[in-house]
Amino acid sequence: VMGVGYPSIFVEYSIEAAGGLTLGIDYVPDTLSTESTSRRDYNTESYNAAGTGTDSGLSNQTNTVDADFEDLITVYVSMPIPGTNAFIKAGMKSVDVVTKESLDTGSAYNDTDLDGVMVGFGWTAEVGEGVFIRAAADYTDFDDLSLTSTTNSDNSVEGSLEGVTASLSIGKSF
């Protein structure tokens, strides 16, 4: 579970002839960082350069995983719920994953990108002269992450990224 605040910039185009259907794009200019996690692994055998085991005692390795998420982009469509200030929305997200591991195993992993889908709902209120305030909640499910070490194809990392975001936006209609 991770809770962070971050700014984003969005642009929308509303099609009044289509019942207020709105097309939008949202961009997060900041890098979002995860907390690094370390694990110390202990082996009861040590291995020499030839890869053969020796009984020389206890060996240990510290492995730290860390990642940044950059260029988070959301393309979405929203539709007002008639007679209310509420709306529903759906869209696609894309983000670059920058790996920042420090592994005593010698493994290294390339950066990658993830795509995902999102659905959400929210509420918008006009506060005067084209200015609006919006509150929204979205659920996003990204594709599964699967990385194979560039230095040892026997080592790999797999994971999933999904979650709920809440936002508070201030905008100006032109």
Side-chain angles (χ1 to χ4, degrees):
V1 174
M2 183 170 92
V4 297
Y6 56 88
S8 71
I9 301 164
F10 66 95
V11 176
E12 297 178 335
Y13 179 72
S14 183
I15 307 168
E16 293 307 319
L21 179 78
T22 300
L23 307 174
I25 186 167
D26 184 280
Y27 174 71
V28 176
D30 282 351
T31 297
L32 306 175
S33 297
T34 64
E35 293 181 18
S36 64
T37 302
S38 294
R39 183 179 81 193
R40 183 173 292 267
D41 295 324
Y42 295 93
N43 295 318
T44 55
E45 289 186 12
S46 295
Y47 289 87
N48 60 25
T52 59
T54 64
D55 235 357
S56 63
L58 189 66
S59 68
N60 66 72
Q61 298 176 323
T62 299
N63 297 299
T64 302
V65 295
D66 197 358
D68 284 344
F69 298 94
E70 297 179 346
D71 295 327
L72 175 59
I73 298 172
T74 306
V75 177
Y76 60 91
V77 60
S78 68
M79 186 69 177
I81 298 173
T84 72
N85 287 342
F87 62 89
I88 57 172
K89 69 179 183 175
M92 305 283 293
K93 290 192 178 200
S94 176
V95 68
D96 296 333
V97 180
V98 179
T99 63
K100 300 181 349 180
E101 67 278 343
S102 172
L103 305 173
D104 283 349
T105 62
S107 290
Y109 296 89
N110 286 329
D111 299 342
T112 190
D113 60 310
L114 290 176
D115 296 319
V117 295
M118 59 81 64
V119 294
F121 65 93
W123 172 83
T124 299
E126 295 284 333
V127 293
E129 298 185 36
V131 175
F132 63 89
I133 296 176
R134 177 180 300 154
D138 302 329
Y139 169 77
T140 301
D141 186 12
F142 284 96
D143 295 337
D144 288 341
L145 174 70
S146 180
L147 300 173
T148 300
S149 171
T150 59
T151 58
N152 181 349
S153 62
D154 289 337
N155 294 340
S156 63
V157 174
E158 294 182 2
S160 61
L161 180 61
E162 65 179 318
V164 176
T165 58
S167 62
L168 182 61
S169 306
I170 299 172
K172 170 83 170 122
S173 300
F174 297 99

